[in-house]
Amino acid sequence: IKRAAPIIAKILPLIIEALVIWLAVTPIHEYWHVLAANWCGVSAHAEFGFLSGHFYYSGSLLQWQDTMVWLAGGLGTALIFGLLWVCAWWQGKYTEWEIDEVWMFSVVTTQQLLYGFVEGLHHWANLCAVWYYAVIGIVTMAIVLWLYGRRLMQWLGLW
């Protein structure tokens, strides 16, 4: 238990931070869809449930506009969290490195980047596959662990 206390003290805030960030991700993601649809000249709005959201637009779009609207959610969100990731990484060059922000922002950025492309192309190709959520999650964690796995283990005191 003595050895586990520092690990728990580091992981618990990380879990809480993840929940807070993920509560922000869905509205930001859906807002980018709405913004892109409005830029293309159609009316759009988003509706939200608990931890879920969906956007709707009325009007007709050309195929490329429709694809851009679907791509915008993930790519716009990845842009925002990618900038936060760079800022957190840059701050770590000048202060004691804590993995929490860098880790969280890297996970969200990677996941939204992958999801944005899959969502846009999935809609364009008219595919209906739920399994891609799992694949995106696995690929996201593989990429982020490749980038930060060793440092995460060191930070937790396990390496």
Side-chain angles (χ1 to χ4, degrees), residues 81-100:
F81 282 92
L83 291 172
L84 291 171
W85 180 11
V86 168
C87 290
W89 171 82
W90 187 37
Q91 177 191 19
K93 291 179 73 170
Y94 302 102
T95 61
E96 183 179 337
W97 193 75
E98 288 286 328
I99 196 167
D100 50 358

Side-chain angles (χ1 to χ4, degrees), residues 81-132:
F81 282 92
L83 291 172
L84 291 171
W85 180 11
V86 168
C87 290
W89 171 82
W90 187 37
Q91 177 191 19
K93 291 179 73 170
Y94 302 102
T95 61
E96 183 179 337
W97 193 75
E98 288 286 328
I99 196 167
D100 50 358
E101 285 86 16
V102 174
W103 172 264
M104 284 294 115
F105 295 149
S106 68
V107 169
V108 173
T109 301
T110 306
Q111 187 271 342
Q112 285 292 305
L113 191 62
L114 293 171
Y115 183 74
F117 277 111
V118 170
E119 185 178 40
L121 298 177
H122 153 269
H123 179 73
W124 174 76
N126 243 348
L127 299 173
C128 188
V130 176
W131 58 267
Y132 68 77

Side-chain angles (χ1 to χ4, degrees), residues 21-115:
I21 287 173
W22 282 106
L23 285 173
V25 167
T26 299
I28 292 169
H29 178 99
E30 299 305 330
Y31 173 75
W32 278 101
H33 287 305
V34 170
L35 191 61
N38 289 333
W39 283 342
C40 290
V42 296
S43 176
H45 72 279
E47 293 179 2
F48 301 97
F50 184 72
L51 296 177
S52 66
H54 189 74
F55 81 98
Y56 302 91
Y57 67 87
S58 57
S60 61
L61 295 172
L62 300 172
Q63 181 68 43
W64 71 269
Q65 290 173 315
D66 189 55
T67 301
M68 290 298 114
V69 168
W70 281 92
L71 287 170
L75 301 185
T77 306
L79 174 68
I80 290 171
F81 282 92
L83 291 172
L84 291 171
W85 180 11
V86 168
C87 290
W89 171 82
W90 187 37
Q91 177 191 19
K93 291 179 73 170
Y94 302 102
T95 61
E96 183 179 337
W97 193 75
E98 288 286 328
I99 196 167
D100 50 358
E101 285 86 16
V102 174
W103 172 264
M104 284 294 115
F105 295 149
S106 68
V107 169
V108 173
T109 301
T110 306
Q111 187 271 342
Q112 285 292 305
L113 191 62
L114 293 171
Y115 183 74

